[in-house]
Amino acid sequence: MTEQQPFASLEAAHSAGVYAKRPITLVRGSGATLYDDHGQAYLDCGSGIGVANIGHCHPTVVQAIAEQAATLTVCPEAFHNDQRALLQAELVQLFPAEFQRVFLCNSGTEAVEAALKFARMATGRTAIVAAMRGFHGRTFGALSATWESHYREPFMPLVPDFSHIPYNNIERLQNAITEQTAALIIEIIQGEGGIRPATAEFLQAAQTICHERGALLILDEVQTGFGRTGRMFAFEHYGLQPDLVCLAKALGGGIPMGAVVINQRVGELAIGTHGSTFGGNPLACAAARASLSVIRTEQLVDQTAEKGAWLLTQLQAIRSPKIREVRGLGLMIGIELKEKVSPYLQKLMNQHQIIALNSGSNVLRLLPPLVISWPELERVVATLRSMFE
Ligand SMILES: CC(=O)N[C@@H](CCCNCc1c(COP(=O)(O)O)cnc(C)c1O)C(=O)O
């Protein structure tokens, strides 16, 4: 172990080796601030890749986890549980009335896997259509819906009968969705694919075409959900009526959790057709209930709409030959550069103590906690302006 980075070298000695690492060791977080093992503070504009919407270690969630950890953490879905029953009821309350059922799991990729299986089972069809540049997870089904070849190639063959269309291309959608299509799966804003919002026309056409041809519309809101875009769920911006909505990341307030919220149009799912040992566990459900209460009581959705609009305007006002476009919705912002983004991420972290993300090789992605303060937002804008102007 090196004295400067004792934990980094220890971790590197035993890690599977699949992750690119940044040279800091994060050991504590509070609100939108993270601290490394030397006590250095960082302003977090990554939220753990869109998880810490309510900030790090929110006291309400910490208390709920502590209480549930001392009460019951293990309860498979073979038995009823109070926290799960309450969370399910509170979760479907956030959706239109036709959404009455939810499948609980432990990650985004699991939510996508469940939605894909439910769609094939409910329709009796096998074809799945997804979007180019889309990202839906790393497990074989979700990976089959994910576009970029560098995610897919080492693992071929993937699940058969998946195809991809250009995002926002209605004509290709018309040709791709047929009577054999079980579902279309899309993001409202492509998160890993470069912070690319769908057009309202594309989304409306997707819903119309799917429902006219008996296919289900699966919305992957793993990254856009829980206030991230300035509405509780991004589909609300467009008045959509999806059939299955995949959720995860911020759902559990930092505790791993995923969910599929199911429109009654999908019909009944037969007992024994899917499952998960940890899905719906009391600890995650208690954390999720606490997180939802924080989003509600701190009015984080409305705050995000206001802060996000201001941030987007400020960043779009930066005049720089290095910036191609600034886009996004709420506090899900992408700055597309005319060059590689990684040097800028390193500079932000090492010289300015701001942690931001990439999305692809040339988009600087900002996913700050929704609790980020106005002074912290002003610091982000001032820093980026100084870097790019
Ligand atoms: C460092 C690291 O592990 N990064 C993750 C980043 C994934 C972030 N996105 C997850 C995601 C997923 C998968 O979610 P999960 O299994 O990672 O919880 C599904 N759908 C959408 C729209 C998503 O954005 C990865 O490279 O797999």
Side-chain angles (χ1 to χ4, degrees):
M1 296 206 306
T2 64
E3 69 292 342
Q4 264 309 308
Q5 293 281 355
F7 300 108
S9 53
L10 180 61
E11 188 176 312
H14 306 293
S15 169
V18 298
Y19 293 106
K21 296 282 187 180
R22 297 204 202 179
I24 58 172
T25 299
L26 297 174
V27 296
R28 186 164 67 88
S30 175
T33 304
L34 289 165
Y35 300 88
D36 71 12
D37 57 336
H38 300 295
Q40 173 62 58
Y42 297 85
L43 175 51
D44 183 14
C45 287
S47 297
I49 320 174
V51 170
N53 285 17
I54 63 170
H56 296 280
C57 304
H58 192 291
T60 303
V61 174
V62 169
Q63 183 182 348
I65 291 170
E67 287 174 4
Q68 193 61 38
T71 304
L72 180 68
T73 58
V74 178
C75 178
E77 289 251 18
F79 303 92
H80 300 290
N81 172 261
D82 56 341
Q83 294 303 320
R84 180 191 311 138
L86 292 167
L87 170 67
Q88 288 180 166
E90 290 159 16
L91 196 51
V92 299
Q93 283 296 317
L94 302 173
F95 284 78
E98 54 273 17
F99 290 85
Q100 283 303 312
R101 295 191 178 280
V102 57
F103 175 80
L104 295 172
C105 52
N106 312 286
S107 65
T109 203
E110 285 184 55
V112 169
E113 292 290 343
L116 295 171
K117 288 176 70 174
F118 295 161
R120 281 191 166 175
M121 182 165 64
T123 62
R125 301 176 179 184
T126 59
I128 304 285
V129 178
M132 294 175 184
R133 287 202 179 113
F135 183 98
H136 301 287
R138 303 280 196 151
T139 48
F140 276 111
L143 186 60
S144 302
T146 295
W147 169 249
E148 290 297 339
S149 55
H150 71 269
Y151 292 121
R152 299 160 58 92
E153 256 153 30
F155 309 105
M156 305 301 276
L158 297 178
V159 178
D161 219 356
F162 280 68
S163 64
H164 293 83
I165 58 162
Y167 198 52
N168 285 330
N169 186 317
I170 295 174
E171 185 185 353
R172 293 286 292 276
L173 193 64
Q174 286 278 12
N175 299 335
I177 308 291
T178 70
E179 308 301 331
Q180 283 69 49
T181 305
L184 166 71
I185 181 169
I186 49 173
E187 299 158 86
I188 302 282
I189 299 177
Q190 293 187 319
E192 303 308 312
I195 307 294
R196 298 178 194 280
T199 62
E201 296 75 17
F202 177 72
L203 293 169
Q204 290 300 344
Q207 177 169 289
T208 302
I209 295 165
C210 282
H211 292 169
E212 282 174 351
R213 300 178 189 179
L216 298 180
L217 176 60
I218 301 174
L219 292 184
D220 183 342
E221 290 236 25
V222 166
Q223 191 162 153
T224 53
F226 298 104
R228 176 59 57 191
T229 69
R231 298 296 293 268
M232 181 58 84
F233 300 107
F235 75 83
E236 297 171 28
H237 291 285
Y238 305 97
L240 296 174
Q241 295 272 321
D243 297 294
L244 296 155
V245 183
C246 302
L247 306 171
K249 286 188 186 284
L251 168 59
I255 298 294
M257 191 171 206
V260 183
V261 185
I262 305 165
N263 188 318
Q264 59 196 16
R265 190 186 306 126
V266 174
E268 292 299 311
L269 301 175
I271 286 177
T273 54
H274 195 46
S276 163
T277 300
F278 289 103
N281 71 77
L283 185 66
C285 290
R289 293 188 61 218
S291 180
L292 290 179
S293 75
V294 169
I295 293 173
R296 189 172 51 247
T297 54
E298 296 186 14
Q299 299 177 319
L300 293 182
V301 178
D302 291 343
Q303 278 197 48
T304 300
E306 187 184 3
K307 290 172 183 171
W310 179 84
L311 181 59
L312 188 66
T313 304
Q314 293 296 312
L315 295 176
Q316 287 175 336
I318 296 176
R319 291 286 163 260
S320 169
K322 297 173 181 176
I323 294 177
R324 174 170 292 119
E325 183 186 27
V326 177
R327 54 181 179 252
L329 196 54
L331 288 174
M332 187 172 181
I333 304 273
I335 303 173
E336 183 174 342
L337 304 179
K338 296 172 183 172
E339 52 195 272
K340 297 289 184 201
V341 68
S342 53
Y344 295 95
L345 293 177
Q346 289 166 25
K347 190 174 176 185
L348 271 175
M349 189 174 84
N350 299 334
Q351 295 180 23
H352 301 283
Q353 289 73 50
I354 294 175
I355 292 175
L357 304 172
N358 71 299
S359 177
S361 61
N362 68 332
V363 174
L364 194 156
R365 176 171 36 159
L366 299 171
L367 296 177
L370 312 185
V371 297
I372 191 169
S373 69
W374 285 104
E376 289 167 334
L377 281 173
E378 285 160 2
R379 172 182 160 194
V380 171
V381 171
T383 304
L384 289 170
R385 185 180 292 122
S386 70
M387 281 175 65
F388 288 113
E389 273 186 344

